[in-house]
Amino acid sequence: MSDRREGVVVIGAGPAGLTAAYQLAKLGRTAFVIERDQLVGGISRTVNYKGYHFDIGGHRFFTKVAAVEQLWKEVLSGEEFVRRRRLSRIYYNQKFFHYPLKPLNALRGLGLVNSGLILASYLWAKLFPTLPENNFECWVSNRFGWRLYQTFFKTYTEKVWGMPAHTIAAEWAAQRIKGLSLLVALKNALLKSGSSGDGVVKTLIDSFDYPQRGPGMMWERIAELVRKQGSDVLMGTAVDAICCRGNRVETVRINRDGYSESVGADQFISTMPLRELIQKLDPPAPPEVEAAANSLNYRDFLTVALILNKADVFPDNWIYIHDPKVSVGRIQNFKNWSPHMVPDQTKTCLGLEYFCFEGDGLWTMTDADLIELGARELEAIGLAKRSEVEDGTVVRMPKAYPVYDNTYRDALNVIRAFLGRLENIQVVGRNGMHRYNNQDHSMLTAMLAVENMFGARHDLWEVNADQEYHEETTSREIRAKSQLGTLALTQPQVPASVPITAHAGLVTAFARMDKLAFAVALGVVAGLVTFTATLFLVFKGGEAVGRNMQLLDEFFLGYTVS
């Protein structure tokens, strides 16, 4: 028996959970929202430390999904957003590289010879791609070339995930680097086509909206609105058990300040980590389902926020740190996201982001030691002096990122099949679905879950997937399908394992090759070969030099010997 009865129970007050509660409120229904933490917003929260606001990672407000954008504008007025120009760079080999790519900056940083080798490597990758594309290393090197992958992708990715790149599933690259390749990056840099429009590659957008005081401002407002509509949002409340009978969830057993109670409902929406959801089922799930859930892994995250007695530290919104000599992975400058994030404009608040596993050396360091580590690494990179750091704090975020390892997909299939038999619970959001959803993807899954409660039949697993979304068409579903179709444009084709012969490989490689990419890479490589041959002949000297150079004159258009 339950101690209380609600219409809909929502587990989690992050973007997905609060979006579900908000959509229910708009339909005249209340929700009972349960959040283990003391702040709403999940990983999209904003922390306030002595008036300094900072995110758990930066969160740009950019989407192609009209329903999501409409919700943002309903909740916050236009004046509560600031429009920001993006500036981000990569720190590699003691140099800073603009990201997205700027050709002259990259050429200066990498050098002429290394740049030529990168283009040659790209050409080789287009001619002879590594198949099957079943891991991150293959996926990226096929689109950027092995040399550029080694230069810019490998070190940072392994720092983020704490595992070799060849053990990370290709789906992660496909979701996070959608539609991007060396050629696309060059096109974006040369043609300046990354700021807006339907064809924008999300990774390359050069402007975005941002709430004045961070993304937490959005979720705090939504929590306030749904409470006014009669919903409960309980903070500091843990779910101890999810109690089922037959093919239905009957109650959740919650614990708040040592007081336990059972809450029953007709419908349940869960955003809690999928592994925990299965572990908390009562009676327990079948052994094979529990084993699948226990095999799901997560990467944890902590932010060291440092307050510097300096007005301007660097102009970027954030910097990616690819240097393996320091542990920090990314540095946010929250003042450059919004000036409202910092109460004193003579000072700066930086967020140093460290990727770790719960319980490892970084996670268990004291706050004081982490603040000292951050200040020391900031100076090692050359961004600020240790003496300029006057204060700091640390925020730890467990299970920040679902890991796409070599076993996660099979485990997810087992769990999905099991959950499909439970009639009145839907899983949404990033951790709820163990899918690397952006904020807008997470919100869309929640919107569609609410529509399912009113008769729709959306397959939530199709959000952020490469397949077309098919179902019967009612007027409401047409709108939803349109949103899913728009969202699908931001998602790539997830590579499949396809056996291939040597002859078929050549045919496939040439068929899929971008003609402009081939022409540019071949032209650059040919030019470098000619240039190298000329230098060799000049430095060699001797009587045969003139005749050999005249041979070059014969066979290369535009090459003149005088």
Side-chain angles (χ1 to χ4, degrees):
M1 292 291 292
S2 60
D3 298 321
R4 60 190 297 175
R5 188 81 185 171
E6 302 288 342
V8 181
V9 166
V10 177
I11 303 173
L18 287 176
T19 296
Y22 181 75
Q23 295 296 102
L24 285 164
K26 289 170 67 174
L27 294 169
R29 297 282 297 274
T30 59
F32 187 81
V33 183
I34 305 161
E35 173 55 52
R36 177 169 52 189
D37 217 322
Q38 296 294 343
L39 288 177
V40 298
I43 198 172
S44 296
R45 74 185 61 187
T46 300
V47 178
N48 182 348
Y49 175 73
K50 299 181 179 179
Y52 291 86
H53 294 76
F54 61 91
D55 300 352
I56 311 301
H59 294 274
R60 293 171 286 172
F61 279 64
F62 171 85
T63 185
K64 292 183 179 182
V65 184
V68 170
E69 187 168 9
Q70 180 182 340
L71 187 152
W72 288 341
K73 291 179 179 179
E74 285 176 6
V75 174
L76 295 180
S77 66
E79 294 75 22
E80 292 176 297
F81 283 102
V82 291
R83 187 70 177 172
R84 306 308 291 173
R85 293 286 297 177
R86 169 182 176 161
L87 175 59
S88 59
R89 289 181 293 170
I90 294 169
Y91 178 76
Y92 166 76
N93 198 23
Q94 299 182 324
K95 297 183 179 71
F96 289 94
F97 296 84
H98 285 278
Y99 185 75
L101 178 70
K102 291 188 176 180
L104 291 179
N105 169 257
L107 190 63
R108 282 195 302 267
L110 294 170
L112 182 62
V113 173
N114 196 22
S115 297
L117 292 172
I118 284 171
L119 285 168
S121 175
Y122 173 66
L123 175 60
W124 181 268
K126 301 308 290 183
L127 284 169
F128 307 107
T130 303
L131 296 173
E133 281 185 335
N134 55 8
N135 63 62
F136 176 88
E137 187 167 274
C138 292
W139 197 97
V140 175
S141 60
N142 280 350
R143 285 156 182 78
F144 292 87
W146 179 260
R147 193 173 184 90
L148 193 61
Y149 159 73
Q150 290 275 12
T151 301
F152 282 143
F153 290 91
K154 187 176 189 296
T155 299
Y156 182 74
T157 300
E158 292 182 349
K159 183 183 288 190
V160 169
W161 292 105
M163 56 196 293
H166 68 269
T167 65
I168 301 170
E171 289 92 332
W172 183 79
Q175 284 183 264
R176 306 307 293 178
I177 320 173
K178 191 272 169 189
L180 187 61
S181 68
L182 180 58
L183 180 65
V184 173
L186 285 169
K187 284 180 179 177
N188 177 76
L190 294 171
L191 302 178
K192 305 296 184 185
S193 59
S195 60
S196 60
D198 292 339
V200 64
V201 177
K202 198 165 187 177
T203 309
L204 298 180
I205 63 167
D206 61 11
S207 61
F208 55 89
D209 290 323
Y210 186 75
Q212 288 180 344
R213 288 189 172 84
M217 186 177 177
M218 174 71 65
W219 306 114
E220 290 161 11
R221 181 71 57 80
I222 288 181
E224 177 186 338
L225 290 173
V226 299
R227 282 176 173 136
K228 286 181 178 179
Q229 294 293 323
S231 293
D232 290 305
V233 182
L234 297 186
M235 308 304 297
T237 304
V239 174
D240 288 340
I242 299 169
C243 304
C244 304
R245 178 179 296 176
N247 292 331
R248 293 183 63 83
V249 176
E250 291 286 321
T251 62
V252 292
R253 192 162 63 246
I254 62 175
N255 189 299
R256 187 183 191 194
D257 298 327
Y259 174 73
S260 180
E261 67 173 320
S262 293
V263 182
D266 299 320
Q267 296 285 338
F268 296 81
I269 293 177
S270 173
T271 73
M272 71 190 306
L274 198 53
R275 185 173 73 190
E276 290 187 21
L277 172 68
I278 299 300
Q279 290 172 342
K280 292 182 184 295
L281 290 176
D282 182 15
E288 65 275 13
V289 178
E290 285 196 324
N294 292 335
S295 72
L296 296 178
N297 295 306
Y298 301 85
R299 187 67 162 158
D300 308 300
F301 176 93
L302 61 86
T303 291
V304 179
L306 299 179
I307 299 169
L308 281 73
N309 188 22
K310 188 176 182 179
D312 298 303
V313 179
F314 55 82
D316 310 70
N317 307 107
W318 67 90
I319 298 175
Y320 301 100
I321 309 300
H322 287 213
D323 191 339
K325 296 177 183 176
V326 294
S327 298
V328 63
R330 190 170 55 187
I331 301 176
Q332 307 280 351
N333 189 338
F334 295 109
K335 188 177 183 180
N336 293 340
W337 285 78
S338 169
H340 302 278
M341 301 284 277
V342 178
D344 184 347
Q345 296 302 307
T346 67
K347 301 183 187 298
T348 297
C349 181
L350 302 181
L352 281 70
E353 299 174 4
Y354 292 87
F355 307 97
C356 51
F357 290 111
E358 191 171 357
D360 71 8
L362 274 172
W363 185 269
T364 57
M365 285 178 70
T366 65
D367 288 2
D369 287 342
L370 283 168
I371 291 168
E372 176 59 31
L373 173 66
R376 197 167 60 244
E377 293 195 337
L378 203 60
E379 186 167 55
I381 296 167
L383 291 175
K385 297 178 181 177
R386 169 67 186 87
S387 58
E388 293 170 337
V389 177
E390 62 178 30
D391 198 1
T393 189
V394 176
V395 174
R396 293 170 177 81
M397 177 58 63
K399 297 181 177 63
Y401 306 117
V403 171
Y404 281 28
D405 54 25
N406 290 332
T407 62
Y408 98 98
R409 183 190 281 182
D410 290 339
L412 204 55
N413 288 339
V414 171
I415 296 168
R416 285 178 58 180
F418 171 76
L419 290 177
R421 297 195 291 270
L422 296 179
E423 298 172 356
N424 63 332
I425 184 168
Q426 300 179 83
V427 292
V428 298
R430 173 181 285 193
N431 277 342
M433 306 179 78
H434 201 83
R435 177 167 282 172
Y436 206 118
N437 289 328
N438 285 323
Q439 183 174 235
D440 56 344
H441 305 145
S442 296
M443 294 172 65
L444 184 57
T445 59
M447 291 176 174
L448 298 180
V450 170
E451 290 199 2
N452 283 346
M453 294 180 184
F454 291 86
R457 293 188 299 168
H458 303 300
D459 183 353
L460 305 185
W461 296 96
E462 291 297 318
V463 176
N464 203 3
D466 58 299
Q467 295 91 354
E468 288 287 329
Y469 187 70
H470 300 291
E471 62 177 21
E472 295 177 344
T473 53
T474 65
S475 58
R476 179 194 296 172
E477 290 169 336
I478 287 172
R479 292 196 301 273
K481 260 200 326 189
S482 173
Q483 294 305 312
L484 281 165
T486 302
L487 182 62
L489 294 176
T490 72
Q491 301 306 315
Q493 296 292 321
V494 175
S497 301
V498 180
I500 194 160
T501 65
H503 177 265
L506 286 173
V507 174
T508 303
F510 280 102
R512 65 191 285 192
M513 183 181 299
D514 186 295
K515 295 179 179 61
L516 180 58
F518 180 82
V520 170
L522 185 60
V524 171
V525 171
L528 283 170
V529 170
T530 307
F531 179 69
T532 304
T534 303
L535 286 180
F536 174 76
L537 291 171
V538 169
F539 287 118
K540 180 181 179 183
E543 297 180 358
V545 172
R547 291 195 301 273
N548 289 331
M549 294 185 75
Q550 284 172 351
L551 281 174
L552 292 174
D553 193 0
E554 290 288 332
F555 291 102
F556 289 92
L557 294 175
Y559 189 99
T560 304
V561 177
S562 60

